[in-house]
Amino acid sequence: MPSRISRRDLAKAAACASLGLVVASGPDAARGQPGQKSTSQRYTGRDFPKGFFWGTATAAYQIEGAWNEDGKGKSIWDTYVHTPGKIKNGDTGDIANDHYHRYKEDVAMMKREIGANAYRFSISWPRIFPDGTGTPNPKGVDFYSRLVDELKAASIEPFATLYHWDLPQALQDRGGWQSRDIPKAFAEYAGYIAEKLSDRVRHFFTINEFRSFVEGGYRGLETKVGGGVVRLEAAPGVKLDEGALNQVRHHAVLGHGLAVQAIHARGKKGTKCGPAENMALPVPLIEAPEHIKAAETAARELNAPFLTVMLEGRYTDAYLSTAGKDAPKVQGDDLKIISSPVDFVGINVYRPSTYVLASDGAPGYRAVPFSASHPKMFSTWHVLGPEALYWGPRFVKSLWGAKEIFITENGCASNDALAADGTVDDTDRVMFLRAYLTQLQRATGEGVPVKGYFQWSSMDNFEWVNGYGDRFGLVYVDFKTQKRTPKQSAAWFRETARRNAVC
Ligand code: PNW
């Protein structure tokens, strides 16, 4: 018997459908739910803007291997991993994923198994300039040129990062980022790459995670998690006092600014660039206007030496007064160079740095620590907080008016096990990605201009001081045989990218 639908039901359905809600009512809808009067609700507003980039990200040192081939110079990571006791289990990136020799297979995998239409990779500076400056190594450039061709042939848009932490050792020997010469050398290298690749690469990221490589490499990065603090170190493993550290921070953003100018000057017309920063990301514990405002204020202050100075061209008053005599020594046009206009802002988002509530006294916000039982992912530092992927882009827009935003990294490590039948049931990673992307969709749905998302990472790789223990890939890698096996999350990602909607 056909069910009767009243006019009122039809009007209600039409109104809800326009809100992205489908409400069913009447006897058919109630079937299967005896005793319940009506209604099932289906949310359909999960889609992303047209033309959205769905990609994965990697970094040269973490996947390439071939550490001493084809004229490549040594990087600070080559030195660091060969120093006993620095890396878990004595692992090194000497071979890593052997991507240098297997890039064709890896690009095919990104297309076929992951369904990506974009890829963020990094360029190894010492492959291009073995001594940091001077004569470029043609074989180094040739590798990235071939990689880019392979990506273009697979309809995968290449996004290149110029500095993902592998400083040429020759430049470390000249003082590393403590020296003002390094920002200049970086700009020279960035301009050279723009000249060589911008006929095919339209987007460049200058520096990956200023905060991580500066704090990790020059003091040790402390991260608060429920019930404690986790310490992470990175190459070159130097320990500086506050004044010297502020100077390294200053040189890093100066290098970024000089590189932005060099890329715009020497790249083909329309070449775009911007930073890829893991911003400190305070999240309002309660989404009410006063707490949102407090979190936004905190975001500006907690990023003072990095994103804030790059996007505002000044250090905040609070940063300068806290630093006092340890404030960075700023010369001539430094601040103008540091804030050279960027075309987009990239942010790596893994976790909230803290939850925040409003507070009457200065500085206008109060950090709420993670509870001891706050849920965590596999990595020691990785507290769960999907809302970070909503508030991150939203604050980048509201604080600095970014016209384009990219999520340059997001993902998690899992304790992945390859079953005998060849499956990797990484349910935690699928849960993580779905929860975070739902929050990103909330942002794009409100008009925050996020243009693309890069999951970290295409495949398991060398996770810095944690060696091969923390697996972040959508594809499992057996590091003895180099066999790649897609995980369940690869299929999930492919379906999400295909639909252009969280699934
Ligand atoms: C990033 N934290 O590092 C890097 O860009 C990647 O090279 C790395 O493999 C990836 O994330 C996963 O770790 C981070 O403590 C290191 O919050 C530490 C943190 C976040 C990101």
Side-chain angles (χ1 to χ4, degrees), residues 57-59 62 120 164-165 208-209 211-213 221-225 230-232 276 278 348-353 379-383 408-413 456-457 461-464 466 470 472:
T58 62
Q62 294 178 272
R120 172 177 176 247
H164 203 124
W165 311 352
N208 179 70
E209 297 200 352
R211 181 181 299 278
S212 296
F213 90 87
L221 181 70
E222 308 226 308
T223 305
K224 288 187 186 135
V225 293
V230 173
R231 222 186 123 73
L232 284 176
N278 58 328
N348 293 359
V349 177
Y350 287 88
R351 45 166 281 166
S353 49
S379 298
T380 49
W381 49 268
H382 204 172
V383 288
T408 31
E409 287 180 27
N410 170 248
C412 66
W456 182 273
S457 179
N461 56 48
F462 177 77
E463 177 57 15
W464 309 112
N466 287 318
D470 283 25
F472 276 84

Side-chain angles (χ1 to χ4, degrees), residues 333-351:
D333 278 345
D334 281 7
L335 292 170
K336 222 172 131 200
I337 296 167
I338 289 169
S339 58
S340 298
V342 293
D343 304 290
F344 48 75
V345 176
I347 49 172
N348 293 359
V349 177
Y350 287 88
R351 45 166 281 166

Side-chain angles (χ1 to χ4, degrees), residues 60-397:
Y61 189 73
Q62 294 178 272
I63 63 166
E64 285 179 3
W67 74 289
N68 56 3
E69 284 181 44
D70 288 344
K72 174 181 167 293
K74 252 195 187 183
S75 82
I76 54 173
W77 273 93
D78 292 315
T79 307
Y80 196 68
V81 300
H82 294 136
T83 310
K86 295 293 186 196
I87 313 293
K88 206 166 169 179
N89 301 319
D91 290 343
T92 75
D94 291 358
I95 299 172
N97 297 42
D98 196 30
H99 172 75
Y100 190 76
H101 300 114
R102 295 169 192 258
Y103 70 95
K104 287 191 176 178
E105 177 195 334
D106 290 338
V107 170
M109 173 189 84
M110 283 184 240
K111 185 78 200 161
R112 195 181 56 239
E113 306 294 345
I114 295 173
N117 63 15
Y119 174 50
R120 172 177 176 247
F121 61 97
S122 88
I123 295 174
S124 158
W125 183 350
R127 253 190 224 297
I128 310 295
F129 288 100
D131 299 318
T133 54
T135 316
N137 167 28
K139 286 193 172 168
V141 185
D142 185 55
F143 169 68
Y144 296 104
S145 188
R146 285 183 282 124
L147 171 64
V148 166
D149 285 343
E150 195 71 20
L151 290 164
K152 299 288 271 190
S155 304
I156 297 177
E157 186 64 22
F159 289 70
T161 305
L162 291 158
Y163 186 72
H164 203 124
W165 311 352
D166 42 0
L167 185 74
Q169 179 62 41
L171 295 183
Q172 184 61 37
D173 298 342
R174 286 161 50 188
W177 288 101
Q178 286 180 262
S179 155
R180 257 187 96 89
D181 291 341
I182 284 11
K184 287 184 212 142
F186 177 59
E188 182 53 37
Y189 149 69
Y192 176 76
I193 292 291
E195 238 170 61
K196 292 285 174 195
L197 296 183
S198 63
D199 57 335
R200 288 156 292 156
V201 179
R202 312 303 295 140
H203 302 81
F204 289 91
F205 297 104
T206 53
I207 292 183
N208 179 70
E209 297 200 352
F210 297 75
R211 181 181 299 278
S212 296
F213 90 87
V214 171
E215 314 292 312
Y218 290 83
R219 180 165 67 188
L221 181 70
E222 308 226 308
T223 305
K224 288 187 186 135
V225 293
V229 171
V230 173
R231 222 186 123 73
L232 284 176
E233 292 191 358
V238 175
K239 304 232 172 348
L240 300 180
D241 61 31
E242 193 62 20
L245 190 65
N246 277 334
Q247 204 57 36
V248 170
R249 292 170 173 148
H250 184 71
H251 292 161
V253 288
L254 184 62
H256 155 84
L258 288 167
V260 168
Q261 296 186 351
I263 293 164
H264 283 153
R266 293 170 67 182
K268 270 209 152 33
K269 198 165 177 287
T271 305
K272 292 182 167 186
C273 65
E277 172 62 334
N278 58 328
M279 64 182 295
L281 225 170
V283 163
L285 186 65
I286 300 168
E287 294 192 3
E290 66 274 28
H291 305 303
I292 293 171
K293 182 86 205 122
E296 188 189 48
T297 304
R300 181 167 177 268
E301 280 311 333
L302 298 174
N303 291 291
F306 301 118
L307 270 190
T308 307
V309 72
M310 285 189 266
L311 299 172
E312 295 186 17
R314 61 186 295 264
Y315 288 112
T316 66
D317 297 339
Y319 174 71
L320 290 177
S321 74
T322 308
K325 66 168 183 26
D326 290 328
K329 315 266 170 303
V330 177
Q331 295 185 15
D333 278 345
D334 281 7
L335 292 170
K336 222 172 131 200
I337 296 167
I338 289 169
S339 58
S340 298
V342 293
D343 304 290
F344 48 75
V345 176
I347 49 172
N348 293 359
V349 177
Y350 287 88
R351 45 166 281 166
S353 49
T354 179
Y355 286 96
V356 156
L357 287 173
S359 136
D360 288 338
Y365 62 89
R366 177 168 75 79
V368 180
F370 294 102
S371 63
S373 56
H374 191 97
K376 260 189 73 252
M377 304 311 293
F378 183 71
S379 298
T380 49
W381 49 268
H382 204 172
V383 288
L384 182 68
E387 325 84 274
L389 208 47
Y390 170 73
W391 291 107
R394 190 172 139 165
F395 288 153
V396 168
K397 166 95 176 94

